Amino acid sequence: MNILVQQPAMIQENKTIPPTYGKKNRLSSTNPILRTLWISSIILVVFLSLSPKIDIPFEFRESDKVAHFVAYLWLAVLPFFAFSPPAALRRALFMVPLGIGLEFAQIMVPGRSFSFGDILANIAGIALGIWMAGALKKRLKVRVLIDILLTTY
């Protein structure tokens, strides 16, 4: 759902800045390109999770946990830039049951096995991703406000 922002006209030094009727707020608008990227990323994670054992380009002890952590961090950050805030949080939190479900589904995939460690890595990635998205959005909000102030005055 797109939220339209209506701002009143501002009077400043004998000039009137017209109200922004019907324009979307830059911070709360949704981005279809990022939505597509997020959905494509989910499809890729599901495909890789349900494929027979694949080789990770970097091999060290528990390297698959790093891959799980990074993948789910990515899946949790993207919604905050693709959807409105309440929808973004719901979508990021939905990655928890997705990760758990995929981990259980791996029991039936040749060369794969269930791992609580993978679930913990997924959840840790999601938690850090939600926190990072909030911090990034807050920082970007300040930068956008500064940009607006500098271009307005």
Side-chain angles (χ1 to χ4, degrees), residues 1-152:
M1 174 171 79
N2 292 334
I3 298 172
L4 299 178
V5 177
Q6 179 181 355
Q7 299 173 345
M10 294 176 21
I11 301 173
Q12 165 190 353
E13 298 177 2
N14 297 329
K15 64 180 180 178
T16 302
I17 300 170
T20 55
Y21 296 105
K23 290 185 181 178
K24 291 185 215 170
N25 181 331
R26 285 192 272 182
L27 295 174
S28 66
S29 64
T30 59
N31 187 323
I33 294 170
L34 291 178
R35 280 181 175 186
T36 304
L37 179 61
W38 180 68
I39 292 167
S40 300
S41 297
I42 291 172
I43 292 168
L44 179 63
V45 166
V46 169
F47 173 77
L48 293 174
S49 296
L50 299 178
S51 297
K53 185 71 176 160
I54 56 171
D55 293 325
I56 299 175
F58 47 91
E59 243 347 282
F60 55 88
R61 187 170 182 226
E62 305 300 333
S63 59
D64 67 319
K65 306 300 184 263
V66 174
H68 279 263
F69 178 83
V70 171
Y72 282 85
L73 183 140
W74 174 253
L75 292 177
V77 167
L78 271 180
F80 287 91
F81 295 92
F83 302 97
S84 63
L89 182 60
R90 283 192 307 272
R91 285 170 171 85
L93 290 174
F94 178 71
M95 296 301 103
V96 173
L98 176 71
I100 293 170
L102 287 173
E103 202 58 39
F104 275 105
Q106 286 181 355
I107 294 170
M108 296 178 271
V109 177
R112 295 296 192 128
S113 61
F114 176 86
S115 168
F116 280 112
D118 289 350
I119 291 175
L120 292 176
N122 296 348
I123 292 171
I126 293 164
L128 183 61
I130 291 171
W131 178 83
M132 281 179 56
L136 284 169
K137 290 287 276 198
K138 188 174 183 179
R139 183 177 174 106
L140 288 174
K141 188 178 206 176
V142 169
R143 293 187 76 193
V144 168
L145 289 174
I146 290 170
D147 183 42
I148 290 170
L149 289 173
L150 291 175
T151 57
T152 303

